[in-house]
Amino acid sequence: MKRKLIFLDIDGTLTPAGSNVPPESAMKAIRMAQAKGHLVFLCTGRNPGMLAPVLALGFEGAVAGAGGYVFAGDEVLFDCPMPKEEFETGMRLLKEQGVFRTIEARDTTWGDEDLGDFLAQAGEGNSELVRWRKALAEQLNIRPMSEYDGSPIYKIVFMCKEARQLEPARQALEEKYNFVVQDVAAHHCLNGELINRKFDKGRGVKIVADHFGIPMEDTYGFGDSMNDLEMIETVGYSVCMDNGSPKLKEISDLVCPAVEADGLYWAFEKLGLL
């Protein structure tokens, strides 16, 4: 049997949003796929520090930081933090416009001190918002911005009430950085990520596939939000969760039940991965 390469987003795909605990059915499917020789990687916007509790469940590696840091086992395959000058420019322009910021190094995350209050006022409807709200409440390795120690940063997460607040930073950095804004119809908040155009989840998928010599037609990607777009567009077969973005569903090869409804097991079985 040909070895397959499977990529799983975490929040809203492998786990309920904001959680580090996959349903038992999801882990059963993953173990069965691995027993058949398939490789299962995490493919997430989380940095290695935030994904560590999930990685410990037994995955072959991860496309982390939305593709900025890729590793297989103990081997680093790609490492691309933001240049200091570009990072400082983005942080300054976002702050001047009242944008709430969270920054991610490899192992630690820092957030503006009043971010929690801002999120508490936002509505439901977006797995990224739910993740950040729960992460702050549980102190999931998110430290106050005042404690930032100068570590290399891979991406900036932003939240604001109006798109115009992003314009100064967009004008200064859009040539080199992609402003990935999530669907916002269900709540009064814009949230998204400032990601270096040198990488994305799709290119991370290719790096891992090349490393193992697995052709792209033998790769599978599972996601739920538009920050999974490049992964969904790159893999040989794409799956969107039923709780996911309507736009992502439209371009995915398959829509499966939500993870809480045993969606991953259902999809793995349907795709012959078990």
Side-chain angles (χ1 to χ4, degrees), residues 72-92:
D74 294 329
E75 185 175 359
V76 177
L77 307 181
F78 183 75
D79 186 4
C80 185
M82 297 178 71
K84 183 178 180 181
E85 182 178 350
E86 293 167 10
F87 165 68
E88 291 178 346
T89 296
M91 290 293 282
R92 175 177 57 81

Side-chain angles (χ1 to χ4, degrees), residues 238-243 248-250 252-257 266-267 270:
S238 57
V239 183
C240 182
M241 312 305 290
D242 189 52
N243 54 280
L248 202 68
K249 291 179 184 179
E250 290 178 5
S252 296
D253 296 312
L254 177 69
V255 176
C256 75
W266 180 90
K270 184 176 181 66

Side-chain angles (χ1 to χ4, degrees), residues 73-114:
D74 294 329
E75 185 175 359
V76 177
L77 307 181
F78 183 75
D79 186 4
C80 185
M82 297 178 71
K84 183 178 180 181
E85 182 178 350
E86 293 167 10
F87 165 68
E88 291 178 346
T89 296
M91 290 293 282
R92 175 177 57 81
L93 294 174
L94 291 172
K95 183 176 182 179
E96 288 175 356
Q97 294 297 315
V99 176
F100 294 84
R101 310 156 303 165
T102 306
I103 57 175
E104 298 183 8
R106 188 187 66 182
D107 299 314
T108 309
T109 302
W110 296 268
D112 282 325
E113 280 83 347
D114 47 2

